[in-house]
Amino acid sequence: KYMMGARVHTDWSEGSPIRWEGEWNGKPFEDVGRVLKVREPELLSYTHNSTEAEGATQEHVITIELKEVGGVTHLRLTQDNNSTEDARQHAEANWTLMLDELKKMLGEAPVPAPEVSRT
């Protein structure tokens, strides 16, 4: 639900395919990937192949790490292989929106912008 309404199809086993389908800016989309690593409850890593504005497909590795510190769960998300600074900023903006939605679902405050931008 927090991923902009995309429907996600996978069994979340390492090596399994993932398919996201939904609508973005009034246009249907379907993205694909593969589950790389699952270490419950602290790590999930997967590929995500998306089509950029120019029509080229770009593969990213998304890694989500959860760590409890003092009774508070911290989430660290990374995405590699951003082709340009604009692509990195676009991905950062999208992930901030999605993580804000996740925090709303969990009853938490919005996600602050990162202090240091990374590619």
Side-chain angles (χ1 to χ4, degrees), residues 26-43:
K27 295 181 182 178
F29 73 87
E30 181 176 283
D31 292 345
V32 297
R34 185 158 303 281
V35 178
L36 299 174
K37 196 179 292 185
V38 178
R39 241 184 17 236
E40 289 188 49
E42 69 267 353
L43 178 83

Side-chain angles (χ1 to χ4, degrees), residues 3 5 9 12 20 25-26 30 37 48 50 60 62 65 75-76 83 89 92 94 99 103 106 117 119:
M3 294 187 75
H9 307 276
W12 297 110
W20 294 266
N25 290 332
E30 181 176 283
K37 196 179 292 185
H48 177 251
S50 61
H60 305 280
I62 310 298
E65 299 170 271
L75 184 148
R76 179 174 184 249
S83 58
Q89 289 177 1
E92 185 177 290
N94 282 343
L99 293 174
K103 289 191 89 158
L106 298 172
S117 296
T119 58

Side-chain angles (χ1 to χ4, degrees), residues 61-81:
V61 173
I62 310 298
T63 302
I64 301 168
E65 299 170 271
L66 299 173
K67 183 176 182 180
E68 184 181 342
V69 178
V72 175
T73 301
H74 296 264
L75 184 148
R76 179 174 184 249
L77 185 143
T78 58
Q79 174 179 306
D80 75 354
N81 203 24

